[in-house]
Amino acid sequence: MKANFSAETLQAYQESSFSKVNDFYEYAQLLTNPTISNDLKEEIITAIFSLYKENYNASIINFLSSEKEKNFTR
């Protein structure tokens, strides 16, 4: 991979990846708050999918749900 990209490009990609993971973690923490409304939960889920918009057909497991349907899809 180093042969195809400069060190600066790899550094930027790494920082972007860390940022996405951190943002996802923060959104997941918000979803655990029992006082938020369903509308806000839907906005948070949309924000999570927007983090990975280049792969928008992805499924994300809803590890907070006790329901049979545990995947979010967009």
Side-chain angles (χ1 to χ4, degrees), residues 14-65:
Q14 182 180 20
E15 289 173 11
S16 174
S17 297
F18 285 136
S19 177
K20 283 184 179 185
V21 170
N22 187 50
D23 289 347
F24 177 81
Y25 177 75
E26 289 179 13
Y27 286 134
Q29 282 188 309
L30 287 172
L31 286 174
T32 64
N33 183 341
T35 64
I36 64 172
S37 69
N38 287 336
D39 289 339
L40 183 54
K41 284 182 183 180
E42 187 62 33
E43 286 185 40
I44 292 168
I45 291 166
T46 300
I48 289 170
F49 277 97
S50 74
L51 290 173
Y52 306 99
K53 63 184 169 204
E54 62 273 358
N55 192 8
Y56 202 68
N57 293 323
S59 292
I60 297 176
I61 295 172
N62 180 1
F63 54 89
L64 304 173
S65 175

